[in-house]
Amino acid sequence: MEAIVDRLIEEPNASVLVRELIEAGVPCAHGHAWRTDHVKKLQRLSKDEPGWAKFIDVLSTEQQEAAYEALVRMREDTPSQVAQQLNREQWVHSLLGSGMCPRSATSRSAP
């Protein structure tokens, strides 16, 4: 947090700092970010056809796209790498607001 304050003193344009934080994958104060365990949960859910169908059914289109994107990326990357990539690219979180995660969030959709 101190580094962010120091950076804001150096660069008084807050929108420049916000872009830097987003590019670095720094989550908001409430932590609505992808985590390794979230990616692993998607992986487990995808192996249960009825459970996956029920889960996907309650998601927005953007959340569905993010869930499928996470699964595709896990073919070549670890859950940790996938979570970092999704955060850096600001993919909407698939578990938040789906009943699978305790909080809902306002997230940006995929680029």
Side-chain angles (χ1 to χ4, degrees), residues 18-102:
V18 168
R19 266 193 309 273
E20 290 174 6
L21 292 170
I22 290 169
E23 289 173 9
V26 177
C28 71
H30 297 289
H32 300 301
W34 285 91
R35 297 189 331 231
T36 303
D37 60 316
H38 296 155
V39 176
K40 287 178 180 178
K41 183 177 259 185
L42 283 178
Q43 191 174 37
R44 283 190 306 274
L45 278 169
S46 71
K47 294 177 182 178
D48 170 28
E49 262 186 65
W52 180 256
K54 184 178 176 182
F55 168 69
I56 285 295
D57 191 48
V58 300
L59 300 181
S60 69
T61 301
E62 292 151 331
Q63 287 177 306
Q64 289 176 8
E65 290 171 359
Y68 285 117
E69 182 67 21
L71 293 176
V72 168
R73 291 181 186 207
M74 280 194 296
R75 292 177 186 159
E76 301 206 3
D77 295 323
T78 67
S80 177
Q81 291 168 324
V82 171
Q84 289 172 2
Q85 293 164 8
L86 295 174
N87 286 329
R88 192 171 31 255
E89 296 169 18
Q90 297 181 328
W91 283 86
V92 68
H93 200 299
S94 296
L95 296 176
L96 297 172
S98 69
M100 300 298 292
C101 224

